[in-house]
Amino acid sequence: MKNGSGSVGERLGTGGETHQTSNGNLPALTTQQGVPVSDDQNSLKVGARGPTALEDFHFREKIFHFDHERIPERVVHARGFGAHGYFENYQPLTDFTRADLFQRAGEKTPAFVRFSTVAGNKGSPDLARDVRGFAVKLYTKEGNWDIVGNNIPVFFIQDAIKFPDLIHAAKQEPDRGFPQAQTAHDNFWDFISLMPESVHMAMWIMSDRAIPRSFRFMEGFGVHTFRLVNAKGKSTFVKFHWKPKLGMQSVVWNEAVKINGADPDFHRRDMWQAIHSGKFPEWELGLQLFDEKFADEFQFDVLDATKLIPEELIPIHKVGRLVLDRCVDNFFAETEQVAFCTNNIVPGIDFSNDPLLQGRNFSYLDTQLKRLGSPNFTNIPVNAPKCPFATLQQDGHMALVNPKTRVNYEPNSWPGAEAGPRETPDKGFHSYPAQDEGPKLRARSESFADHYSQARQFYISQTPIEQSHIAASFTFELSKVERPDIRLRVVSHLMNVDEELANNVAMGLGLKGMPQRAQAAKPTASAIKASKALSILLNSHQTFEGRKLGMLVTDGVDGDLVAALKKALDKEGASYEFIAPTITGVKASDGSMIEANQKIDGGPSVLYDAVAVLISKQGADLIANEPAARDFVADAYAHSKFLGYSEEAQPFLTKVLGADKLDNGFIAIGNAKDTAKFVQECRKLRFWERANGHLSNVAAR
Ligand code: HDE
């Protein structure tokens, strides 16, 4: 019987024979004990009108199993989406690491990746303002290696002991059970404002990084400093980066709010569609490599997870690519049951003393036991190594791979294969013999004390439009905070980051005066340099590849124009959907039918990277007063999107927006040549000049 990723019979090693239904085409439905079921529509009753008989073992088993379908959701990162793929190594990295997956050029290592949000519950919307988890499991030939990272290179706290406090503060407030999947509430900002070390990360989550357009368009980071160790035992410090092949892209906040209503599964659907259409998402693995000398001389402590190392200082070496080419067969079996553990490392990789990482190494193993219910969670196919493995561990709930021989201990004197596995000092994992000593104490290193300099660096590295988004999101979140003293305390920290930012937020909140600047353990380094790598917009890949155009069409649309636009999009590697007054579609001017993907109120423009309004005169009249059609255009305008339009659409656009609004982000499409021009413009992804104009209007007021 086929069930998810493999046949149940196969998985349990029974040979996989199944009963057949009488027509022989479909497998027979059975109980878990393999008994064929005669009737799955009616429970067993005494007489047609009951009562139900307790002896109905099929009914009881079915309901019993259903009652136990749920397992605890992850305490953080509950909402996620996973996919399979592989990592391909470019060149041998033998100088730096003996890790097997990096030894040979072209070596492909199977991978499973799970993306997630942090704060929301399992059913929360994808476009919450939040950090995204970027957890990668690499099934190497010497065991599983998990890089359990995020899409932001720093973290809120420096010591793992504060993690429960951080998460309690971020999640729903305990008395009322809301708000969920958002940090715009008192408890979160109360905590942040009392933890200056979190200010750098607060800048990142208030930036566009926290509302990515797609998992495919975001970076990933291992965050902590790790070690690479080569065959001679030499250690090099390393930070891991994932760089998306198609560049980074985010949405704007007003758009995020609307996407959450229109398609709460926006990110998982995007990933599913990309993989199913053969446009496999891809990232390059980048390494920042540095030695003890750099670590000693660096302005910040490389063990402090609230700090990053600017790429300008330690460049990133791209060493391989990660390709996601297969969706899961079963969401629960794989995405829900995958168990990432920071302590899953392989020979050639090692930990640093980052106190956050050290704490995580306890937490992940512990949490899997709670969620998956047994120390045998490693036997679940998505978690099992793909290389040979042999332990002397046994028993426990759901034990599937107990030793088959008489021997379950070591040392033993049983001969031959009976003797079981043995340690391998030459090939086995050795911890790097770092020299660590000091008094036993509860303390925070002095070298962790600069809380504002990198927060400032992040801010000054952004373009004006990105800076305006940061100010707007601080203002938005703090406007949801009820206690004025908490709002003031946050602004007092921002004054240590950047005066202009603090003033803009204070203005947005309508503060009568500025608070006293927060006391800083270390003053903000005024000489800190901007780092271009920190901005999304300064790193544009200038491509519309992998993006999606929404085409609003009506009966009478010019069929040639549509065909030309489709061709231009195909050439670019972009996709498209048709949005029409009815889901049946429309009849083009040449008599051909165009099938709709969305009815107009099911396909708002927030779901697309750019839009085209290719309507006929009669179509324009039909939709002129349709609110969803008007919103389609008004939102695309407000979110600075490029908009292509047919000549017949112009009066409609003017009616919705006003004649003066048709700026250079509007591209008239009259012929095939124009379609190419339109797609070329779309490579800029957004027409930010429109928003900049709005910014200067605000400044002038
Ligand atoms: Fe996690 N984190 N975390 N975290 N984390 C979990 O493990 C924890 C931290 C991250 O898709 C949990 O299996 C502690 C940083 C991701 O399944 C739990 C601390 C980073 C995922 C846990 C941190 C992360 C988790 C909950 C502070 C980025 C999702 C469920 C020391 C580098 C993995 C689970 C997936 C999940 C603990 C901080 C990333 C409870 C104690 C920093 C991507 O073990």
Side-chain angles (χ1 to χ4, degrees), residues 9 32 35 65 68 125 348 358 361 421 434 498 513 523 561 585 591 612 650 654 687:
Q32 282 186 300
V35 178
H65 199 278
H68 296 270
Q358 298 279 325
N361 285 343
D498 187 86
L561 219 52
Q650 183 164 353
T654 315
F687 182 65

Side-chain angles (χ1 to χ4, degrees), residues 158 196 304 307 444-452 520-523:
Q158 296 173 324
D304 173 358
K307 308 297 188 302
R444 197 69 64 94
S445 169
E446 245 315 285
S447 54
F448 283 33
D450 181 342
H451 302 317
Y452 300 111
K522 258 195 172 174

Side-chain angles (χ1 to χ4, degrees), residues 260-278:
N260 283 338
D263 185 5
D265 305 310
F266 189 67
H267 280 160
R268 48 175 70 176
R269 192 188 308 280
D270 171 88
M271 186 62 89
W272 172 273
Q273 284 178 344
I275 295 177
H276 278 278
S277 63

